[in-house]
Amino acid sequence: MFFTYLRRELRRRRKAALVVASGLALGIALVIVVNSVSSGMNQAQGKVLESLYGLGTDLTVTKAQERPEDGAAPQRPRFEFKGKEEGEEQSSDRLMVQGFQTLADSTVATVGRQPGVDRAVGGLSLVNLKINGEFARGKIQRAQPQPAQPGTGNGGTGNGGSGGGSGPGDTVTGGGAAFDVDSFTLYGTDVTAPDLGPLTTSTVSQGRTFKTTETDAKVAVVDSAYAQKQGLALGDELTVKGVKFEVIGIATADRGQAAAQVYLPLKQAQTLSASAAEITTIYVKATDSTRIDAVKTAIQKNVTGTTVTTSADLAQTVSGSLDTASDLASDVGKWLSYAVLLAAVLVAGLLTSSAVTRRVREFGTLKALGWTSGRVTRQVVGEALVNGVIGGALGIAVGLAGAYAVTAASPTLTAELGSSGGAFGGGRGGMIFGGGPAGTAAGKTVDIALSAPVSVTTVGLAVLLALGGGLVAGAFGAWRASRLRPADALRRVE
Amino acid sequence: MYELIGVTKQYRRGQQRVDALAGVDLTLAQGDRLVIQGPTGGGKSTLLQMLGGLDRPTSGKVLLDGIDLAALSERRLTAVRGQNIGFVFQSFNLIPTLTAQENVETALVPLGGRPAERRDRAAEALESVGLGERRGHLPSELSGGQQQRVAIARALVKRPKVLLADEPTGNLDESMRDEIVELLEGLWQEHGLTFVMVTHDSAIARRAPRLATIRKGRITIKENRAAAGENRSASPDPVDA
Ligand SMILES: Nc1ncnc2c1ncn2[C@@H]1O[C@H](COP(=O)(O)OP(=O)(O)O)[C@@H](O)[C@H]1O
Ligand SMILES: [Mg+2]
């Protein structure tokens, strides 16, 4: 009887059922589309971050930023031009560690032993700075002690300020310089682990990548953009700090800018920069990508003096249209879709309740015939639930179509990665990007095509919402039905 | 079978208090037939609701086979309605979406039992009111008289002890009225029911062995000597209020 009655009622009240169902459908479709677009945004952000760290890197470990001691100026590069006559051309070739903070080689193994860590690989990010130019020596006046001026080195153009030797409070007058700065970024890669780390963000388009045996070979892979600028080709020689390397491969960044302009075997990079057994960043792959936070906690606890950065941390530095759209999807979109759904559920509830009111005599009659309140209520809730299921099915269909349409249109979004402090990668930049390839990451812009993947979870959520909506609507009706007196059946027809 | 003692029913309409029943005493034996007449608003339907356990009196007792319906829990009262009492309403009160057959089956739902058994009994009941051929029809596809026949089949399919009819012919053409009344009286005789019917039809009232009139919540009962032969189990001393 329950199903017969249910079927007959729904068929007769098709229109009302359709109104209730389409309201719920609209809400559910919105929830699906917004959720899918939102996860598309996450995927896009993931891709952006992937372009920074490479595939498979779940988190990075860098040296914790040391708080500068009181009064001590932050570390910065120093250039010394000594013993040269005024007006003579001078040149300096410096190779510096990006972020100035390094970890011991051995930390890689320590991190690798942490629970939840699948693999850990170390790398060394360097900046090579070549300066050529002329100086006019200034006169130093030691008369008045004055506060120290911050040194040069911001952005790569010198202004002939306080060179080495001048003490705090001294003033330099009459100094002047004109010189060129040529800088490029280097990354010392662990050639034994070719599938983890920044080099995986690029594809070797010419030549080959490092062999796993080339741990200390004088070979280099050069980014295609840099190679073009410098006129480097396969087989050419590249000189870094006086050491010659053979260009064995040209790599092209998959997305946006490359992680570094020149890749060398780690050992070579360490030797060149006089930072033997030191690295700047450890790239970590977790065994379970859903438990990254636990891995982060474990590393932070067990490996002291390190900063652990996850993709989620990095995502916070992403800006641009991707970030705006992502915020929109996760805030306004979600809020809106749930508001629509809530409204739909309320309308469904009111319609169900008023349908019960219109059927007072019918339900009163059934109660007079000996139907319990429970049985009548079940009937009402059953009808509302079926409306919910129909609405859910409709909503899922429309939602899937909507998500498919977004994927088909695939609008392009731009992501800007949080800028770090210029070419020197400075302390601040190092903090945000964990001392990773900070220089190249500065102001990096990546274009991503948005898709809206629908997950099983989203569909499951939609089904739950539909049933929930139906139940809430049913509860309205049930409340109304349970308050009916059987005597109502005998009322005169108005 | 029925014993009503000092039954009152008050309704509140805003500030106003309406005495629908103002102290009714009434005794009915098994198999009795009582016809109730009276002006609109006199309290006829209210009395029927008390008899059928559809509502509770404000005060007084409604004893059915010694059990006070006024004191029963909602669940027990629902069960009593489901098992013992058949209702026929003025406006038929069929479920518009269900067929004649299914409408009759709704009365068997509270009794449990297998669906097949319900189907057979409902079909049989429809046969007995002459609607065997119309089982699959919706109420909207039946005439008023036929709808009321379905309602009668629904009231009697569970073989209740009591049949309560509130103006069963009120919504019918003259030609159909006699047909329905004859059917009800025939069934009453056949099943040995206690039968209480409210009607405005004076022709029916004239034929009734006992005639009650309710005016302003008070009942007066008259034995009809001319129709006494029809009364198979007259109550020895009808109570006047
Ligand atoms: N549910 C109710 N609420 C308020 N007043 C009611 C209600 N039902 C009946 N009444 C009043 O009680 C009185 C008796 O009604 P009723 O028994 O339906 O009369 P009858 O059936 O004789 O026409 C009337 O005055 C009616 O208005
Ligand atoms: Mg009435």
Side-chain angles (χ1 to χ4, degrees), chain A residues 485 491-492, chain B residues 11-13 18 20 39-46:
Chain A
R485 297 178 321 124
R491 285 255 183 86
R492 282 174 297 271
Chain B
Y11 290 112
R12 235 162 242 297
R13 222 185 280 141
V18 180
T40 299
K44 305 182 294 294
S45 296
T46 306

Side-chain angles (χ1 to χ4, degrees), chain B residues 99-233:
Chain B
T99 62
Q101 163 87 23
E102 288 157 356
N103 262 289
V104 175
E105 284 183 34
T106 56
L108 295 173
V109 166
L111 304 180
R114 286 175 299 114
E117 187 192 319
R118 278 211 298 261
R119 259 198 305 282
D120 291 347
R121 283 179 67 177
E124 202 180 301
L126 278 171
E127 206 76 57
S128 73
V129 297
L131 282 179
E133 308 286 283
R134 303 286 182 142
R135 258 181 284 169
H137 287 239
L138 288 174
S140 57
E141 297 162 351
L142 299 171
S143 74
Q146 287 171 329
Q147 287 186 50
Q148 196 60 302
R149 281 166 186 267
V150 174
I152 291 167
R154 179 178 66 181
L156 295 177
V157 68
K158 62 189 171 194
R159 297 188 190 114
K161 293 184 195 163
V162 181
L163 178 61
L164 304 174
D166 195 354
E167 301 186 38
T169 58
N171 276 14
L172 298 177
D173 299 343
E174 206 138 349
S175 58
M176 287 184 186
R177 279 184 201 163
D178 296 339
E179 207 180 288
I180 292 297
V181 171
E182 267 166 42
L183 176 66
L184 283 169
E185 287 178 348
L187 289 166
W188 160 64
Q189 243 156 6
E190 192 183 322
H191 292 96
L193 298 157
T194 303
F195 178 28
V196 180
M197 174 163 65
V198 173
T199 183
H200 281 303
D201 193 331
S202 39
I204 299 167
R206 248 179 276 125
R207 288 211 303 269
R210 281 174 87 199
L211 183 64
T213 307
I214 299 184
R215 224 180 281 273
K216 290 181 179 168
R218 297 183 183 280
I219 190 169
T220 44
I221 295 183
K222 217 168 51 186
E223 296 293 331
N224 190 343
R225 312 230 177 262
E230 267 184 68
N231 193 353
R232 295 168 309 168
S233 54

Side-chain angles (χ1 to χ4, degrees), chain A residues 1-2 4-10 12-13 359 361-373 375 485-493, chain B residues 11 40-41 45 48-49 53-55 74 78 81-82 85 87 89-91 93 95-99 102 105-107 109-110 118 138 154 158 166:
Chain A
M1 192 89 260
F2 174 79
T4 312
Y5 193 13
L6 187 67
R7 217 169 48 232
R8 294 290 161 79
E9 281 304 320
L10 289 169
R12 184 175 68 147
R13 297 176 216 276
R359 289 162 74 189
R361 216 153 54 89
E362 183 173 330
F363 293 133
T365 302
L366 289 171
K367 284 192 175 181
L369 291 174
W371 282 43
T372 58
S373 272
R375 194 181 290 278
R485 297 178 321 124
D488 292 327
L490 285 167
R491 285 255 183 86
R492 282 174 297 271
V493 205
Chain B
Y11 290 112
T40 299
S45 296
L48 231 54
Q49 285 171 26
L54 288 177
D55 210 344
E74 197 56 52
T78 302
R81 285 200 302 267
I85 297 166
F87 288 100
F89 307 97
Q90 176 177 353
S91 41
N93 290 20
I95 310 298
T97 46
L98 297 181
T99 62
E102 288 157 356
E105 284 183 34
T106 56
V109 166
R118 278 211 298 261
L138 288 174
R154 179 178 66 181
K158 62 189 171 194
D166 195 354

Side-chain angles (χ1 to χ4, degrees), chain A residues 303-317:
Chain A
V303 190
T304 49
T306 56
T307 297
V308 184
T309 312
T310 65
S311 302
D313 299 334
L314 266 178
Q316 289 172 1
T317 71

